[in-house]
């Protein structure tokens, strides 16, 4: 049976650009997956997705015209049900065989095999392989049904349908063409009211011919490029845009580089079929506006690539990715320059207007902005952040840091009521920093205002200054404590107030800045700022933060056992967690570790069952040599281990305890803890409790037991 390469294309109206890459990958992926599942394509068949503004396509190698027949063994029923005492088929068996297209003559060929505890009858048959037209029809239906469409359109069909003008189709955009080629042969499939053919359409304005006829599946990309002026592959188009952007920047000179923004590059790739990068410019007077404003308006509103100089400063040049390539591009360049000018003028106007009022004068306006119906206004929120920031500042740096943190926290949210942030919410914090400097405030305060949202995403930098760290911590704690306090918790994949991100931000600052703050005390100190607006959900919030910490540690390579051993103790200084993990790893590598971990688990179980029965250790009550030896070994080992723990040497502390393995093993071999004598039992329990406390200062070693 001949295997040929397969090409399937859906030709549609312009697809949503931000979803195009996902749509293209999903279409090709599901189509190929379905072909493989039906035996029409091999498991290692190569799949190439194509996605342009007006098409989704997939190329699959080595697709069969008909799948191979497949031997199938079907369980029918237990022998006791299918055959009577004389071995003749029962009516139930005959009925089941009839349902499979067989009759009584098939009884002799049935196989017997054990199925669990009973013997069952099995019917062997050959299932004919599906032909390509049928299999592709099913695969195409699945690929369309499973597309991650952001929003479905409904439109009416005019031809090839039951009720022209009335029959509705639901799809991401109206579809106008379907191609299905197996080699050079058209596969007769249908989708969205369309019949498959071998012709598609190229570029709206620059195609050499229309329609573009494809001679076979393998000619798809080359024919579209030659006759249709379309680069069909999303990846190739993206690479070509990146190449042209770099070339245009090099031509400008001066070490200029286009802004690095992969999301913007993806979006522009989804907007053009044959890219043509052009260099434009705007008046230098606009460079007096903060470059973040200009960059954002060019990227967000116009999909332009601003050019930065060798020092990372914005220039008055920008790059446009055009979808047309006229011989004289001056009209295209001039048009884009005219379009961007009003946008930049708006940014300049907002900036000039905002600087007419100080940040301090905007503080009262925060009382008119609702933050949350249960937590009040942004003004009330600001006061809570101030109170928390002052408390943290006092702990970390005394009155001076507390005063700076209080001022920064008071002004941090004021840019929310400026014109610029009203137009571009993404600039919150950044504009506050600019306006603070304009008001004559120090860089320390300006940096703190700018940085108090950091870290905003995974891998983002932390606040640059101590004041910034204090205000950022206070801001995130206010959100976490407030939302947990009113029971507004994240569920599943829904986290509208980004509480997971805030928790990770708190963790990163405590750990990476090595802050001497205890987590539970920090959470508890934040609660009074809310008055009677919330309940105290500190325990639940603590668990939430430790869960985020555990997930992060596992992602960094720590085993679940190691993380569990350390975090079960709820270490209050999160900055110590990495050292504790390192100590646990070093301890686990020792030959004594498995026995001591198992003994620790046993001790923990004994103490749980005998809670409240222990007493202070009295050496005079020891009877057995093994308990005397264990006590002596502890006297020689535990003080040194405790001293190392107190000095921050967690690894040395755990390794010092490894010397207790032999006396611990001897104790359990030779001593009955639950002695009949109550005083003796209490003394032995006291000995075990002191041993348990000493062993579990760094981590709960019982969690390392197999």
């Amino acid at each position: 049976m001949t295997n040929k390469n397969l090409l399937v294309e859906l030709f549609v109206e312009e697809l949503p650009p931000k979803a195009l890459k996902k749509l293209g990958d999903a279409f090709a992926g599901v189509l190929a997956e379905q072909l493989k599942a039906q035996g029409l394509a091999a498991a290692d068949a190569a799949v190439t997705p194509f996605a342009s503004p007006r098409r989704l396509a997939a190329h699959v190698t080595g697709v069969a015209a008909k799948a191979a027949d497949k031997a199938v063994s079907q369980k029918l029923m237990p022998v006791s049900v299918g055959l009577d005492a004389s071995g003749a088929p029962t009516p139930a068996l005959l009925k089941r065989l009839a349902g499979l297209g067989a009759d009584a003559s098939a009884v002799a060929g049935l196989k017997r095999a054990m199925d669990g505890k009973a013997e069952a009858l099995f019917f062997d048959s050959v299932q004919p392989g599906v032909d390509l037209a049928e299999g592709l029809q099913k695969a195409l239906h699945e690929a369309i049904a499973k597309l991650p469409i952001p929003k479905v359109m409904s439109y009416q069909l005019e031809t090839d349908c039951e009720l022209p003008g009335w029959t509705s189709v639901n799809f991401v955009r109206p579809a106008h063409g379907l191609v299905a080629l197996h080699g050079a042969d058209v596969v007769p499939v249908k989708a969205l009211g369309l019949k498959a053919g071998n012709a598609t359409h190229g570029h709206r304005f620059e195609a050499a011919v229309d329609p573009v006829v494809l001679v076979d599946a393998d000619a798809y990309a080359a024919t579209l490029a030659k006759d249709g002026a379309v680069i069909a592959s999303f990846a190739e188009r993206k690479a070509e845009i990146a190449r042209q952007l770099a070339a245009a920047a090099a031509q400008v000179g001066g070490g200029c580089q286009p802004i690095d923004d992969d999301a913007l590059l993806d979006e522009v790739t989804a907007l053009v079929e044959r890219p043509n990068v052009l260099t434009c410019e705007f008046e230098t007077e606009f460079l007096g506006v903060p470059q973040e404003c200009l960059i954002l308006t060019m990227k967000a509103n116009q999909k332009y690539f601003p050019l930065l100089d060798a020092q990372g400063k914005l220039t008055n040049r920008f790059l446009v990715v055009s979808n047309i390539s006229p011989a004289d591009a001056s009209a295209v360049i001039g048009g884009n320059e005219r379009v961007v000018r009003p946008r930049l003028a708006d940014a300049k106007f907002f900036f000039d207007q905002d600087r007419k009022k100080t940040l301090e004068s905007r503080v009262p306006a925060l009382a008119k902005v609702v933050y949350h119906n249960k937590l009040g206004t942004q003004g009330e929120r600001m006061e809570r952040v101030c109170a928390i920031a002052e408390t943290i500042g006092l702990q970390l740096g005394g009155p001076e840091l507390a005063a700076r943190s209080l001022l920064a926290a008071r002004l941090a949210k004021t840019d929310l009521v400026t014109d610029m942030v009203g137009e571009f919410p993404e600039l919150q914090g950044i504009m506050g920093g600019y306006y603070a400097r304009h008001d004559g405030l120090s860089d320390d305060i300006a940096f703190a205002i700018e940085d108090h949202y950091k870290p905003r995403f995974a891998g983002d930098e932390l606040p640059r200054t101590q004041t910034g760290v204090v205000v950022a911590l206070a801001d995130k704690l206010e959100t976490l404590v407030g939302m947990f306090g009113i029971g507004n918790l994240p569920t599943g994949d829904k986290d509208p107030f980004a509480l997971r991100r805030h928790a990770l931000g708190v963790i990163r600052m405590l750990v990476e800045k090595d802050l001497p703050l205890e987590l539970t005390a920090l959470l508890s100190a934040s609660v009074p700022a809310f008055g009677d607006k919330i309940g105290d959900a500190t325990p639940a919030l603590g668990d939430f933060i430790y869960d985020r910490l555990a997930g992060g540690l596992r992602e960094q390579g720590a085993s679940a056992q190691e993380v569990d051993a350390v975090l079960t103790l709820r270490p209050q200084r999160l900055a110590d967690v990495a050292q504790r993990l390192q100590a646990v790893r070093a301890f686990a590598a020792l030959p004594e570790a498995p026995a001591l971990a198992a003994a620790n688990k046993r001790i923990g179980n004994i103490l749980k069952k005998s809670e409240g029965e222990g007493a202070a250790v009295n050496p005079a009550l020891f009877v057995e040599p093994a308990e005397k030896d264990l006590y002596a070994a502890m006297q020689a080992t535990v003080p040194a281990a405790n001293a190392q723990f107190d000095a921050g040497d967690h690894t040395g502390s755990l390794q010092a305890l490894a010397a207790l393995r032999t006396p611990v093993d001897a104790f359990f071999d030779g001593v009955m803890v639950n002695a009949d004598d109550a005083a003796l039992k209490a003394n032995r329990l006291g000995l075990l409790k002191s041993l348990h406390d000493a062993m579990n200062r760094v981590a709960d070693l019982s969690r390392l037991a197999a």
Side-chain angles (χ1 to χ4, degrees):
M1 192 173 295
T2 306
N3 286 0
K4 300 176 185 175
N5 295 341
L6 176 74
L7 184 282
V8 179
E9 183 207 64
L10 267 176
F11 181 77
V12 297
E13 293 181 16
E14 277 74 4
L15 292 159
K18 290 186 178 178
L20 180 64
K21 189 174 187 302
K22 273 188 183 177
L23 291 172
D25 291 343
F27 180 75
V30 175
L31 190 79
E33 176 189 295
Q34 290 293 318
L35 292 173
K36 292 175 183 179
Q38 296 177 81
L40 288 165
D44 60 351
V47 184
T48 306
F50 296 95
S52 84
R54 297 201 296 159
R55 72 201 73 241
L56 300 174
H59 182 275
V60 185
T61 60
V63 176
K66 185 177 185 297
D69 295 343
K70 186 166 60 174
V72 178
S73 182
Q74 291 174 278
K75 177 188 169 185
L76 300 178
M77 59 190 66
V79 172
S80 59
V81 176
L83 301 175
D84 61 20
S86 64
T90 63
L93 178 59
L94 293 174
K95 185 177 180 181
R96 182 69 195 278
L97 286 171
L100 296 172
D103 54 25
S105 63
V107 174
L110 296 180
K111 288 185 178 179
R112 296 186 179 203
M114 293 303 295
D115 182 53
K117 295 181 179 179
E119 190 177 25
L121 295 171
F122 290 83
F123 177 64
D124 290 345
S125 62
V126 175
Q127 182 177 310
V130 66
D131 64 38
L132 179 58
E134 182 184 348
L136 180 57
Q137 186 66 65
K138 180 183 176 184
L140 187 56
H141 176 77
E142 285 293 308
I144 291 172
K146 292 183 177 178
L147 279 178
I149 298 173
K151 195 171 183 181
V152 175
M153 283 184 66
S154 181
Y155 61 95
Q156 284 68 48
L157 300 177
E158 298 295 336
T159 58
D160 295 321
C161 61
E162 187 178 350
L163 296 171
W166 292 90
T167 300
S168 291
V169 170
N170 295 319
F171 195 51
V172 58
R173 292 290 186 271
H176 297 295
L178 175 64
V179 173
L181 288 175
H182 186 230
D185 302 322
V186 174
V187 185
V189 293
K190 296 180 178 180
L192 305 174
L194 302 166
K195 293 179 181 177
N198 66 343
T200 184
H201 302 276
H203 195 286
R204 276 195 186 275
F205 313 112
E206 299 186 350
V209 296
D210 187 64
V212 176
V213 178
L214 306 169
V215 294
D216 61 34
D218 293 341
Y220 178 69
T223 304
L224 263 181
K226 175 175 171 288
D227 296 340
V230 171
I231 301 174
S233 166
F234 188 95
E236 288 180 21
R237 211 161 57 254
K238 182 176 178 178
E240 173 61 16
I241 293 173
R243 185 195 67 75
Q244 289 191 36
L245 288 172
Q251 195 168 9
V252 171
C256 283
Q257 292 290 333
I259 194 158
D260 184 13
D261 189 325
D262 201 55
L264 176 62
L265 185 55
D266 275 348
E267 189 174 358
V268 170
T269 302
L271 287 168
V272 298
E273 292 189 308
R274 186 170 69 168
N276 177 33
V277 172
L278 303 171
T279 304
C280 306
E281 64 180 48
F282 57 83
E283 291 79 359
T284 55
E285 67 185 81
F286 291 120
L287 293 177
V289 179
Q291 69 177 43
E292 291 90 347
C293 309
L294 305 181
I295 290 171
L296 184 59
T297 191
M298 284 191 278
K299 284 182 2 181
N301 296 320
Q302 305 304 134
K303 315 306 174 191
Y304 296 158
F305 287 83
L307 277 178
L308 307 179
D309 66 18
Q311 287 72 45
K313 297 294 183 184
L314 181 67
T315 69
N316 70 321
R317 302 287 190 93
F318 61 95
L319 303 179
V320 174
V321 183
S322 174
N323 194 35
I324 56 175
S325 305
D328 180 5
S330 59
V332 179
I333 293 171
N336 281 284
E337 290 176 346
R338 282 195 302 276
V339 166
V340 80
R341 197 170 292 119
R343 295 285 187 180
L344 302 183
D346 285 348
K348 184 176 186 303
F349 174 77
F350 294 145
F351 185 56
D352 291 341
Q353 288 297 109
D354 285 343
R355 288 183 296 171
K356 292 178 181 178
K357 293 177 67 176
T358 65
L359 291 181
E360 180 63 39
S361 70
R362 295 181 184 274
V363 170
L366 293 175
K368 299 175 184 177
V369 181
V370 175
Y371 168 57
H372 190 281
N373 62 343
K374 292 183 180 179
L375 296 175
T377 65
Q378 285 287 1
E380 292 173 279
R381 184 179 183 220
M382 175 270 292
E383 291 171 0
R384 294 192 293 266
V385 173
C386 284
I388 298 168
E390 188 174 24
T391 300
I392 298 173
L394 283 170
Q395 286 182 263
L396 291 180
E400 187 178 339
L401 178 59
R404 295 201 307 272
S405 302
L406 185 60
L407 175 58
R410 176 175 170 79
L411 302 178
K413 302 296 181 185
T414 51
D415 66 355
L416 295 178
V417 292
T418 62
D419 291 339
M420 185 70 84
V421 174
E423 180 71 13
F424 301 114
E426 302 92 333
L427 295 176
Q428 57 189 322
I430 294 171
M431 295 314 302
Y434 277 106
Y435 297 146
R437 291 186 189 89
H438 180 263
D439 292 349
L441 297 172
S442 68
D443 280 346
D444 184 52
I445 301 299
F447 284 143
I449 293 172
E450 183 179 342
D451 292 351
H452 82 279
Y453 290 104
K454 296 179 180 177
R456 295 158 297 184
F457 49 84
D460 190 21
E461 61 185 14
L462 297 181
R464 289 163 282 187
T465 65
Q466 194 176 28
T467 308
V469 169
V470 171
V471 179
L473 259 181
D475 184 61
K476 289 168 175 54
L477 287 169
E478 191 278 338
T479 302
L480 288 165
V481 171
M483 291 301 163
F484 269 75
I486 61 173
N488 199 349
L489 312 183
T491 55
D493 60 347
K494 293 183 178 178
D495 188 7
F497 288 90
L499 302 187
R500 294 184 181 93
R501 177 165 58 81
H502 285 309
L504 289 171
V506 169
I507 291 167
R508 281 192 59 197
M509 283 185 279
L510 291 175
V511 172
E512 295 177 33
K513 295 292 185 178
D514 195 18
L515 300 181
L517 299 171
E518 296 193 349
L519 182 61
T520 301
L522 195 58
L523 299 180
S524 298
S526 303
V527 174
F530 289 84
D532 59 359
K533 285 185 179 290
I534 66 169
D536 186 357
T538 298
L541 177 53
D543 291 342
F544 180 76
I545 292 174
Y546 281 115
D547 284 346
R548 304 280 78 69
L549 176 58
L553 293 172
R554 287 193 294 269
E555 286 176 7
Q556 293 168 23
S559 72
Q561 273 186 317
E562 292 165 350
V563 173
D564 198 23
V566 172
L567 296 190
T568 295
L569 298 185
R570 290 292 192 260
Q572 290 300 298
R573 286 193 74 240
L574 300 192
D576 292 345
V577 168
Q579 289 180 329
R580 289 175 185 250
L581 267 178
Q582 186 179 0
V584 167
R585 283 200 191 98
F587 174 79
L590 297 174
E592 298 90 349
L596 280 173
N600 190 282
K601 188 173 183 179
R602 184 175 178 183
I603 294 168
N605 291 334
I606 291 171
L607 293 174
K608 278 181 189 174
K609 292 176 183 176
S610 309
E611 194 171 350
E613 295 185 51
V617 178
N618 182 358
L621 294 178
F622 290 139
V623 176
E624 301 294 342
E627 59 185 330
K628 295 177 182 177
D629 291 345
L630 176 57
Y631 180 74
M634 287 173 61
Q635 292 299 104
T637 304
V638 171
N642 286 342
Q644 287 170 307
F645 177 87
D646 294 337
D649 184 3
H650 298 115
T651 302
S653 178
L654 275 184
Q655 290 181 331
L657 295 171
L660 295 175
R661 177 192 171 174
T662 300
V664 167
D665 288 346
F667 177 88
F668 282 114
D669 288 341
V671 177
M672 174 66 72
V673 177
N674 293 322
D676 294 333
D677 186 321
L680 195 58
K681 177 183 177 181
N683 198 52
R684 288 171 179 172
L685 287 171
L687 178 64
L688 289 182
K689 186 176 187 314
S690 61
L691 174 61
H692 194 259
D693 291 344
M695 291 177 72
N696 292 312
R697 292 193 74 188
V698 174
D700 182 352
L701 299 184
S702 68
R703 304 287 173 154
L704 301 178

